[in-house]
Amino acid sequence: MNNMDKFIIHGGKPLIGSVNVSGAKNAAVAIVAATILSDEPCTLENVPEISDISIALRILYEMGAGIRIIDKNTMRIDPRGISNPVVPYELARSMRASSYFLGTLLGRFKKADVPMPGGCDLGDRPIDQHIKAFNCLGASCAIDGGIVSLRADELIGSQIYFDINTVGGTINAIFAAVKAKGLTVIENAAKEPHIVDLANFLNTMGADIMGAGTDVIKIRGVSVLKGVDYAIIPDQIEAGTYMVAAAATKGNVWINNVIPKHLESITAKLRKVGASVEEYDESIHVHADGPLLSTSLKTLPHPGFPTDMQPQFSTMLTVSEGTSVVTDDIFDNRFRYVSELRRMGANIKVEGTTAIIQGIPQLTGASVRATDLRAGAALVIAGLMASGTTVVENIFHIDRGYENFDDKLKGLGADIRRVADYEPKRRVI
Ligand code: EPZ
């Protein structure tokens, strides 16, 4: 993999077959960071092999943790060697979830120095609510030269009310509160499946967290967390991406290793556009052969329709019959892929945080550029649906969050190829 790789897709073929979903990126990045809180080594299984995880592991390693890769999805992390709670600048800048080191380092060391996080460019991504939570627990915060510095003599359990629904803020509040003295109550907490998975991981280690998955989470601080073996939940968004790709290509796909309950909002919307979706214990079967229908959609925090599925679903709607209206105001910049889809013939108008999509019979292949992770996945789906050849550039965004995306799609019959896009050096004779 390198930064300049691109995908070349010959589209127009239905996806057929079965695909296995990897571990959840957004649970794994939190749980890898959470190992800092442990007093003993932890073994993590079902960790997706994606570049965001490589960065998180590199951050731990640079701070002094021992990392043993057992196989590509299993690793043992020994946090006992971490002595310097400072996250290296360049590594933090390349991923949003580097903000999780604020909460975990604060929890363990009562101090943290972490560069302002990077990651997907979805518009302004403030961390004021994270800082509010740390302040409530007794930490002071200073931001200087792009570095966020937290300090506390001790962390004391408290009441934290989030003004907005924030996944990252909720996770950071949990991290600091598990090692605080006494009881913390988080109100208006986010309810995403990865928050429940993180709480399960920490509780297995000996934490006392109740109510994860509801909007009130109660945490009684503990002084010791023991090492555990833990398997990450399947990736809701990766599964949803294959579900949409199956319907969008009029395919017939079994998506295995999923938790169907986590996919309900996606399942309901796919049925609305005319796809058949059958749920089994750990699989979902999606097939579509008739015309796709238009629909309206608004993204919402879990259990609503996830913003991380909006670009893929909107892309499918470009070839539905009629007009669809999609509203996504969770971030201010989640329609940047639309101008790329227009190159493929899509008829989409964006007004503020709403896209109005007028369905056309088929997209046509073109050269397009991934603007962020889910936009990249959406453009690959567009290429699979389109006639002719599509080139998707900047696929390093996709590698941040999808394990073996091209190989998994090839397994479903897609004609997709990864090529290195490098300038050959001129020979000097
Ligand atoms: C998480 O981002 C996910 N990332 C995102 O996944 C996902 O899109 C997002 O949650 C919403 O579901 C990870 O889990 C690593 P938020 P996060 O805090 O935590 C505002 C993907 O494609 N806000 O819930 O950064 C914020 O600007 C990605 O996998 C504040 O104003 O999202 C946004 O408008 C990208 N102040 C809204 O809240 C704060 O202090 C929701 O953000 C924090 C957030």
Side-chain angles (χ1 to χ4, degrees):
M1 283 180 208
N2 93 38
N3 256 3
M4 301 305 279
D5 287 0
K6 58 188 176 186
F7 286 143
I8 298 181
I9 303 164
H10 298 290
K13 285 170 72 181
L15 295 182
I16 293 174
S18 65
V19 62
N20 289 330
V21 169
S22 300
K25 168 181 92 87
N26 288 343
V29 288
I31 288 173
V32 165
T35 58
I36 290 181
L37 293 165
S38 176
D39 293 284
E40 293 169 345
C42 291
T43 301
L44 302 181
E45 294 164 27
N46 205 32
V47 180
E49 192 188 30
I50 53 175
S51 62
D52 265 11
I53 290 295
S54 311
I55 297 169
L57 292 173
R58 185 74 199 278
I59 291 174
L60 286 175
Y61 177 78
E62 296 283 335
M63 290 193 298
I67 313 273
R68 186 152 61 87
I69 305 294
I70 296 168
D71 64 43
K72 73 182 180 59
N73 301 115
T74 311
M75 58 219 49
R76 189 162 172 82
I77 302 174
D78 183 349
R80 289 172 298 185
I82 299 177
S83 53
N84 187 18
V86 178
V87 171
Y89 189 82
E90 276 315 313
L91 292 171
R93 294 295 297 154
S94 47
M95 87 188 253
R96 172 70 181 173
S98 55
S99 66
Y100 293 157
F101 292 100
L102 284 168
T104 51
L105 290 172
L106 181 68
R108 174 160 162 198
F109 295 100
K110 312 292 172 270
K111 65 185 268 200
D113 291 300
V114 179
M116 283 294 277
C120 272
D121 181 5
L122 308 174
D124 193 22
R125 296 182 74 177
I127 55 164
D128 57 297
Q129 298 297 307
H130 303 228
I131 292 168
K132 173 179 169 174
F134 299 139
N135 288 158
C136 287
L137 296 170
S140 66
C141 174
I143 302 178
D144 191 13
I147 312 284
V148 185
S149 299
L150 302 174
R151 300 286 183 271
D153 294 332
E154 58 174 356
L155 295 168
I156 311 274
S158 173
Q159 187 177 22
I160 301 168
Y161 179 85
F162 283 119
D163 304 323
I164 47 158
N165 203 277
T166 161
V167 172
T170 302
I171 288 177
N172 255 335
I174 293 173
F175 285 149
V178 287
K179 292 304 269 302
K181 283 196 180 129
L183 179 69
T184 296
V185 180
I186 305 174
E187 291 186 77
N188 195 23
K191 298 182 282 211
E192 269 61 13
H194 38 290
I195 290 180
V196 179
D197 202 35
L198 172 69
N200 287 341
F201 171 67
L202 291 167
N203 281 343
T204 313
M205 295 162 86
D208 183 357
I209 305 171
M210 281 186 317
T214 75
D215 47 21
V216 180
I217 300 178
K218 294 186 180 163
I219 302 162
R220 205 167 278 285
V222 296
S223 52
V224 175
L225 290 171
K226 64 179 193 305
V228 292
D229 289 5
Y230 192 82
I232 312 276
I233 52 165
D235 197 306
Q236 171 204 25
I237 306 300
E238 188 198 9
T241 301
Y242 289 113
M243 289 168 74
V244 170
T249 58
K250 307 279 172 67
N252 189 338
V253 176
W254 286 84
I255 298 134
N256 301 325
N257 184 32
V258 299
I259 299 176
K261 177 103 190 118
H262 293 169
L263 299 166
E264 278 173 351
S265 62
I266 304 164
T267 298
K269 276 291 166 195
L270 277 173
R271 287 182 177 147
K272 202 95 187 266
V273 300
S276 152
V277 186
E278 291 151 20
E279 298 173 5
Y280 297 86
D281 287 350
E282 292 179 4
S283 302
I284 291 247
H285 178 212
V286 179
H287 73 102
D289 40 28
L292 294 169
L293 311 173
S294 56
T295 189
S296 287
L297 179 73
K298 179 165 171 29
T299 61
L300 286 168
H302 191 77
F305 191 90
T307 173
D308 292 348
M309 280 303 301
Q310 179 273 111
Q312 304 90 311
F313 207 92
S314 299
T315 296
M316 178 182 67
L317 292 175
T318 60
V319 296
S320 65
E321 288 186 348
T323 307
S324 302
V325 177
V326 175
T327 301
D328 188 351
D329 53 13
I330 296 199
F331 294 103
D332 12 299
N333 215 354
R334 223 151 187 185
F335 287 112
R336 289 169 74 219
Y337 65 92
V338 162
S339 52
E340 301 299 304
L341 279 184
R342 285 199 196 108
R343 292 166 181 273
M344 302 178 72
N347 183 349
I348 310 181
K349 203 161 74 175
V350 177
E351 285 172 8
T353 52
T354 297
I356 298 136
I357 304 167
Q358 187 65 53
I360 58 165
Q362 195 177 21
L363 297 174
T364 47
S367 197
V368 292
R369 191 163 282 177
T371 49
D372 63 60
L373 167 61
R374 307 304 170 188
L379 292 172
V380 169
I381 293 175
L384 296 171
M385 293 155 65
S387 62
T389 304
T390 297
V391 178
V392 182
E393 294 174 8
N394 283 359
I395 60 171
F396 64 89
H397 285 297
I398 300 174
D399 293 332
R400 285 189 38 224
Y402 288 88
E403 178 171 330
N404 293 335
F405 199 36
D406 42 335
D407 287 338
K408 289 188 185 186
L409 288 169
K410 270 188 213 151
L412 295 172
D415 185 344
I416 178 168
R417 198 157 50 90
R418 177 188 289 264
V419 293
D421 184 16
Y422 65 91
E423 289 283 320
K425 286 207 183 87
R426 236 199 251 150
R427 286 179 68 188
V428 180
I429 304 172

